[in-house]
Amino acid sequence: MALTDSTGSTWRYRWAHRQNVRRVSTYRGAEAAWRRRDDELRRLRALAADFQGTAQAGAGLPLELAGEEVVLWALPAAQLVEMRHTIVLPAPDLAVAPPPGPLRPRRPDGVRVTDAGMAVITSRRLVLLGGRGRRDWAYGRMTGLSHDPGAPVTLIQVLDRRRISGLMLPTDAAPDFRFKLTLAFADAIEQRAAVLTQLDELIDEHGQLKPFRPAVNTPAQARLTSRVPGGRRTVAVAAAIALLVPAALFESDPSDPNGGAEVAVAATPAPTTSAVPALARPKASAPARGTSPKPTKSPRPSPTASRDARCGAPVNPLGYDYCGGPRIRKPAAEVCDWFDCVPQFWAGRGYLVQCRDGAVSLTGGTSRACAEHRGVRRTVTG
């Protein structure tokens, strides 16, 4: 026997089951993405606290160390790159946030490879032990440093060299190389504590973004629109058609197929209470021969009567619309019950936008906003 209760019938139970499965799937994806970034931040925090080198780490390397200089890290696979033209790089900073996306194994335009060898980070300099010789970048002489956001290339500008050069590393080793180079540079200017403080702040901020487990839907919350194929979208389209058809009929002015205005003539005059006799009343002037009276157009419906108060947004109790206003960076937990959310919705790190395919995403303001949904169409406001 089908399971029912006071809510009505089994379709409500099926609706609640689908909603709960979708909510749990979205939550688990968002929670997994949040957990991966949290683990990475904590790994970097532990590495920053314990990162140090020894003189013994440089044993066997064809590199002569200065007094109190120690080797911090070495990578046997690195390429020396140079810029074909002169640019000005930003000053070295202590930014340690993990990159927002994976690096691609490509060489940026204007960069050429001139040598290959082993990259060594010491407490005083970055060194490439290449097949054509040695290239040094002393921290104290660095005037510019730039990490390419899409390729594993780091460019360095120093005082005693006109041409900009740097290193290109394997994509899997580039993030750790950049972080350890930042730590070595921070030690050289005695700012290791600033790096630790920055990591602590990043961990605290990320902790506030942890997704909440969604509430469970019950059969009593099922709406009648759930029984219509297409759900709320079908109902919205039908409502729009119901508003547009009468408006179109009001605007239309069909001509008389007989070519003249239709005149109704009563068989007998209607009784009147006026003191003027019916025969004495002025008659309506007949239209001139060959002309027809101008038809009277129906008044246009008021635009406010058919204007969508939500500017195309679905009906929702959250007050979200597309009309413009404050951006929504922390949407309500039930937003996906009223809007069509993209997969991995809660993994977004921006504000609420509608993509060109109609789905909503929490990636507004980021470089990958609606990247897999044909781009951003408009901002959801509330």
Side-chain angles (χ1 to χ4, degrees):
M1 181 180 293
L3 180 64
T4 60
D5 68 355
S6 59
T7 58
S9 59
T10 55
W11 72 268
R12 295 180 181 271
Y13 288 91
R14 292 193 296 270
W15 174 88
H17 175 72
R18 290 194 303 269
Q19 292 294 318
N20 290 329
V21 169
R22 187 182 68 173
R23 283 187 171 194
V24 171
S25 176
T26 302
Y27 164 75
R28 287 178 177 174
E31 200 273 339
W34 181 90
R35 182 65 61 187
R36 287 193 297 269
R37 185 170 178 83
D38 185 71
D39 292 343
E40 177 64 12
L41 288 173
R42 294 185 184 277
R43 184 186 72 85
L44 295 179
R45 176 63 173 79
L47 178 61
D50 301 332
F51 186 63
Q52 57 185 356
T54 61
Q56 291 76 16
L61 297 177
L63 178 64
E64 183 178 353
L65 301 176
E68 299 183 357
E69 183 181 12
V70 296
V71 173
L72 301 174
W73 185 75
L75 180 68
Q79 294 178 310
L80 176 66
V81 295
E82 292 183 346
M83 290 289 297
R84 292 191 176 98
H85 51 276
T86 303
I87 60 174
V88 177
L89 299 180
D93 59 16
L94 302 179
V96 293
L103 301 176
R104 292 176 293 174
R106 65 175 182 85
R107 181 160 46 87
D109 296 336
V111 173
R112 63 174 182 170
V113 177
T114 59
D115 200 357
M118 175 180 291
V120 181
I121 297 177
T122 77
S123 57
R124 294 189 178 183
R125 54 185 167 160
L126 170 64
V127 184
L128 176 73
L129 304 175
R132 297 182 179 180
R134 192 184 76 189
R135 179 68 62 90
D136 292 23
W137 297 273
Y139 304 140
R141 303 187 67 82
M142 283 185 183
T143 59
L145 180 67
S146 174
H147 301 300
D148 193 292
V153 173
T154 296
L155 298 176
I156 305 171
Q157 200 168 34
V158 293
L159 288 173
D160 55 355
R161 194 175 299 122
R162 296 185 61 184
R163 187 178 296 274
I164 297 174
S165 57
L167 295 180
M168 181 173 180
L169 296 96
T171 54
D172 56 345
D176 270 358
F177 162 78
R178 295 176 177 183
F179 182 71
K180 292 172 181 178
L181 179 62
T182 300
L183 289 178
F185 179 75
D187 283 345
I189 60 176
E190 299 180 354
Q191 291 294 323
R192 175 76 73 96
V195 174
L196 294 174
T197 300
Q198 183 183 166
L199 287 169
D200 289 336
E201 293 175 352
L202 289 174
I203 292 173
D204 291 340
E205 291 176 1
H206 185 64
Q208 298 176 4
L209 300 176
K210 185 174 182 179
F212 294 98
R213 183 176 295 275
V216 177
N217 281 113
T218 63
Q221 294 173 311
R223 298 177 296 276
L224 292 178
T225 54
S226 303
R227 304 196 69 180
V228 180
R232 296 188 301 273
R233 288 187 179 181
T234 302
V235 175
V237 171
I241 294 175
L243 290 174
L244 292 175
V245 169
L249 293 177
F250 278 123
E251 288 293 333
S252 63
D253 187 19
S255 59
D256 182 16
N258 297 326
E262 182 178 354
V263 179
V265 180
T268 57
T272 177
T273 57
S274 174
V276 182
L279 296 177
R281 296 191 180 189
K283 296 181 180 180
S285 58
R289 186 180 300 273
T291 62
S292 59
K294 295 182 179 180
T296 302
K297 292 187 176 181
S298 302
R300 294 177 179 269
S302 173
T304 58
S306 58
R307 183 181 300 168
D308 188 351
R310 293 171 297 278
C311 301
V315 178
N316 65 92
L318 309 175
Y320 296 170
D321 55 42
Y322 302 139
C323 300
R327 295 172 177 173
I328 304 169
R329 294 187 176 274
K330 294 183 179 180
E334 63 272 18
V335 62
C336 293
D337 292 343
W338 304 94
F339 289 80
D340 184 13
C341 296
V342 301
Q344 307 295 329
F345 171 82
W346 293 105
R349 292 294 179 268
Y351 53 84
L352 202 60
V353 293
Q354 184 193 35
C355 305
R356 294 190 181 275
D357 63 356
V360 297
S361 172
L362 197 56
T363 57
T366 65
S367 59
R368 292 186 56 80
C370 294
E372 300 178 358
H373 299 270
R374 301 185 301 184
V376 176
R377 179 182 180 187
R378 51 189 171 182
T379 301
V380 182
T381 57

